[in-house]
Amino acid sequence: MDGDSPRPPRRPEREGSYNYDIESMDGSGAGGVPPWRPQNGSSEALLRYDDGGGAGDRGSTYEPLLRKRTMNTTSQIAIVGANVCPIESLDYEVVENDLFKQDWRSRKKKQIFQYVVLKWSLVLLIGLLTGVVGFFNNLAVENIAGLKLLRTSDLMLEGRYIKAFFVYGGCNLVLAASAAAICAYIAPAAAGSGIPEVKAYLNGVDAYSILAPSTLFVKIFGSILGVSAGFVLGKEGPMVHTGACIANLLGQGGSRKYHLTCNWLRYFKNDRDRRDLITCGSAAGVAAAFRAPVGGVLFALEEAASWWRSALLWRTFFTTAVVAVVLRGLIEFCRSGKCGLFGQGGLIMFDLSSTVATYSTPDLIVIIVLGIIGGIFGGLFNFLLDKILRVYSIINERGAPFKILLTITISVITSMCSYGLPWLAACTRCPVDAVEQCPTVGRSGNYKNFQCPPGYYNDLASLFFNTNDDAIRNLFSNGTATEFRMSSLFIFFTAIYCLGLVTYGVAVPSGLFIPVILAGATYGRIVGTLLGSISDLDPGLFALLGAASFLGGTMRMTVSVCVILLELTNDLPMLPLVMLVLLISKTIADNFNKGVYDQIVVMKGLPFMEAHAEPYMRHLVAGDVVSGPLITFSGVEKVGNIVHALRITGHNGFPVVDEPPITETPELVGLVTRSHLLVLLNSKNFMKGRVKTSGSFVLRRFGAFDFAKPGSGKGLKIEDLDFTDEEMEMYVDLHPITNTSPYTVVETMSLAKAAILFRELGLRHLLVVPKAPDRPPIVGILTRHDFMPEHIHSLFPNLNPHKYHSASMAG
């Protein structure tokens, strides 16, 4: 957009946009500026359209679902796990009221030391528990899937191929149906990867039950059942969600619902500390899934967390180090054969360090080709996944039985492909110099016998008839340039690419890392074989680079993926090539669409705030998008007014304004939250007259922990409180619980600048104050909803965001 283009006009008040439930309002607001609150303290005020963090949004008719709707997708409900749920916003701001100040003044060095020790103890526990859960997941998958494959192989050796298929497909069907049933009926939010939800939470979005104990339970066991069922999915994404759930459970002091609580964890009953713990949990999940502790830290920094500081870096590093130690100890224990079928295939570690990576200029040309292919395939994968998820949402909306039916259908298709496609491959004679036993019998390995006679193996069965981890290991194996036929690789790539697309979105905890690595490693081997005449690199190294290119093209992560792959393969000399291929694939794919997790966040309707402001926001000011008028409370307010406002709104923040006779002119005191108001009203220490007190009763009666944020869904609700007519006419002093230093911006600040401030500070409410001194002390409140593109476009239909974006890019 040209610099001299006029700023879009202030939008008119929209008829029907506000909830006109409060009695006797005069509706005198004009031009988006709220009328001043009546001086008599009555409830004659207008309601603000959206709080951006309310618990109900009863006036909203918007339902953001995965399939396309002509509606705003930024309201307070969204689809998580194919289930419409309410959304709360998180508030990382320090509430500096009288109680907070007294608490910090009264804290002794012993209590501060106790807080620090507890925080480090919690991150230690998060690392221990996540490491144990990660090991348990791999142990269970290896044994369940191993028994299934072993029984099928035994039947095939006997020539009973039809019975073998029914045993194989039947086991997959039972496992898939079990995973879908517990997911659909117990915790729908556990479906999918979980990384988009964790990413949204760390951005400030608290969608219902995404970190609940039931979600943790289903995430663990649903992931085990889903991976064991032979689906083309991974347990790495769910492990990130699992680590976050463990951190959340510890951070909120346990679960009151399941009678698992610890009062000594009351220090962490706030969004700030829980955010830090959940960041550590997400890093621990990656470390447990890939045995990549440094990669876990970088994943949390690059992809998951929206807010970072040096102290958090130390804690996440410590957490992932604990995970690495736990896994190493448990793996050593299993080397003695005490873990059943759990072997080297349990925790994926694809050691390529024995391959000497020497590369020249022709090799770099091949790497560039791989990067371009990865970017194209990655962009296409994200595009097709978007379309498929929108179709799946129509099915999933019909209820749990349809979710289970969809999962069973995909399971049958997957079983038919895994068992049927290897029959298309011809048998290959075992190499004379094979290091491993050929054909492989009774265990995982490179040379699967399948239907072949003794001394021969089926190369396609070596990929299909294994766990996903073992298939990747076979593709990454070095010194096996002639092991796989080109036709087999093409068939496997096509099948994995398509199955990965249709599998993600069913009601099973499922990750995208493994399908993407499988597909990328396959076409990496294909390219390496085709261009082998001009390159000296081993096909296993080409498989690694292909996996890197596809990861960069789909997920658009660079640093963390690079380190994760190097930790997986123990092949540091490949660092420059992996970096190059990641940069190329990400650059190519960015021209088509967003990263896969960013797309899913949008599809779920989660109001995620990007790190940068959109260019069209520079042409708007904060006052343009403030939805007003709004409710304010006096410093000493009538109980009836507060109760009435809380009952008819879902808002979580209310400005407090002192008025005459308490002050000479109207004066903004600060902001009071719904949860604090409910705790104060529940005490029923009211006054008969409208007189400002010293707040001594509140300071004596309450401590800072009485106003601490409880676990999800466990706080007081206005419906829980009951008041007599006499109490409704009494007054309460709000000064002791009012945040006297809320963040404010002047109404003429550009919306882009306000959006950056809002995100960087992790705010829930941003107060907008007037430019002129002779106006009321507050114009309105900006919340997360007000920065969403759909909301802005609804206010300014003539504003073309794409035009501004294109002009900005051209400039």
Side-chain angles (χ1 to χ4, degrees), residues 1 6 8 614-617 619-620 789 792-808:
M1 181 174 179
E614 297 295 337
Y616 63 85
M617 289 186 177
H619 305 275
L620 297 169
I792 297 173
H793 184 68
S794 69
L795 299 180
F796 303 99
N798 296 325
L799 183 67
N800 187 352
H802 301 290
K803 171 187 172 184
Y804 296 141
H805 180 73
S806 300
S808 176

Side-chain angles (χ1 to χ4, degrees), residues 22 62 137 194 197 435 439 525-526 659 678-679 699 710:
I22 293 186
Y62 298 139
N137 278 11
E197 287 85 352
V435 179
R525 261 200 178 255
I526 293 173
E659 304 167 352
L678 290 172
V679 173
L699 298 178

Side-chain angles (χ1 to χ4, degrees), residues 349-373:
M349 182 76 175
F350 316 118
D351 195 347
L352 298 178
S353 58
S354 59
T355 303
V356 180
T358 56
Y359 41 88
S360 57
T361 302
D363 295 323
L364 295 179
I365 297 175
V366 180
I367 302 307
I368 293 173
V369 171
L370 267 181
I372 295 172
I373 294 174

Side-chain angles (χ1 to χ4, degrees), residues 247-304:
N248 181 67
L249 188 64
L250 293 173
Q252 67 183 24
S255 171
R256 189 179 303 174
K257 178 180 179 181
Y258 299 101
H259 306 290
L260 300 170
T261 57
C262 298
N263 291 328
W264 52 274
L265 291 178
R266 63 185 187 275
Y267 287 111
F268 305 99
K269 289 185 177 293
N270 61 78
D271 289 333
R272 297 182 308 282
D273 286 322
R274 286 181 192 167
R275 171 188 57 187
D276 289 354
L277 294 176
I278 290 169
T279 303
C280 294
S282 65
V286 174
F290 291 110
R291 287 171 64 188
V294 179
V297 175
L298 293 175
F299 172 84
L301 172 61
E302 181 180 7
E303 181 66 14

Side-chain angles (χ1 to χ4, degrees), residues 15-302:
E15 184 178 357
S17 297
Y18 307 114
N19 191 343
Y20 294 100
D21 289 342
I22 293 186
E23 302 174 352
S24 305
M25 60 188 184
D26 56 14
S28 58
V33 181
W36 183 236
R37 190 181 186 283
Q39 300 295 321
N40 59 7
S42 70
S43 59
E44 300 169 1
L46 292 175
L47 291 187
R48 190 170 173 277
Y49 172 68
D50 187 272
D51 170 86
D57 195 16
R58 305 186 310 184
S60 176
T61 59
Y62 298 139
E63 287 194 14
L65 298 176
L66 293 181
R67 56 194 173 104
K68 291 183 178 179
R69 303 282 178 93
T70 56
M71 297 182 183
N72 184 1
T73 59
T74 61
S75 68
Q76 293 167 252
I77 52 177
I79 185 166
V80 177
N83 188 32
V84 175
C85 65
I87 286 180
E88 288 278 352
S89 291
L90 301 173
D91 191 358
Y92 302 138
E93 182 183 359
V94 176
V95 179
E96 292 187 342
N97 54 25
D98 292 347
L99 283 166
F100 172 83
K101 295 172 183 175
Q102 176 181 268
D103 175 64
W104 275 101
R105 282 195 297 263
S106 62
R107 279 198 184 185
K108 300 177 181 177
K109 289 184 178 180
K110 179 182 177 181
Q111 292 173 307
I112 297 174
F113 179 75
Q114 183 183 16
Y115 167 78
V116 174
V117 170
L118 280 176
K119 198 159 190 176
W120 281 100
S121 301
L122 279 181
V123 297
L124 172 64
L125 281 174
I126 292 169
L128 289 172
L129 292 175
T130 306
V132 170
V133 169
F135 176 79
F136 171 73
N137 278 11
N138 287 279
L139 180 66
V141 167
E142 287 291 313
N143 281 280
I144 295 173
L147 287 172
K148 175 190 69 178
L149 293 171
L150 186 61
R151 178 57 181 159
T152 307
S153 297
D154 290 342
L155 289 171
M156 295 191 73
L157 289 173
E158 298 171 8
R160 303 162 70 180
Y161 299 118
I162 296 177
K163 184 177 181 180
F165 170 71
F166 281 106
V167 169
Y168 178 73
C171 290
N172 287 345
L173 191 66
V174 171
L175 292 169
S178 301
I182 63 173
C183 187
Y185 287 106
I186 299 177
S193 169
I195 291 178
E197 287 85 352
V198 173
K199 183 176 178 178
Y201 183 95
L202 295 176
N203 188 258
V205 179
D206 187 13
Y208 177 73
S209 80
I210 61 173
L211 298 175
S214 58
T215 304
L216 172 62
F217 170 82
V218 173
K219 208 72 182 183
I220 294 173
F221 292 97
S223 177
I224 291 172
L225 294 170
V227 176
S228 301
F231 280 124
V232 181
L233 52 82
K235 53 189 176 295
E236 287 66 33
M239 271 306 303
V240 175
H241 198 175
T242 298
C245 288
I246 292 172
N248 181 67
L249 188 64
L250 293 173
Q252 67 183 24
S255 171
R256 189 179 303 174
K257 178 180 179 181
Y258 299 101
H259 306 290
L260 300 170
T261 57
C262 298
N263 291 328
W264 52 274
L265 291 178
R266 63 185 187 275
Y267 287 111
F268 305 99
K269 289 185 177 293
N270 61 78
D271 289 333
R272 297 182 308 282
D273 286 322
R274 286 181 192 167
R275 171 188 57 187
D276 289 354
L277 294 176
I278 290 169
T279 303
C280 294
S282 65
V286 174
F290 291 110
R291 287 171 64 188
V294 179
V297 175
L298 293 175
F299 172 84
L301 172 61
E302 181 180 7

Side-chain angles (χ1 to χ4, degrees), residues 615-627:
Y616 63 85
M617 289 186 177
R618 301 171 191 159
H619 305 275
L620 297 169
V621 295
D624 288 329
V625 299
V626 167
S627 300

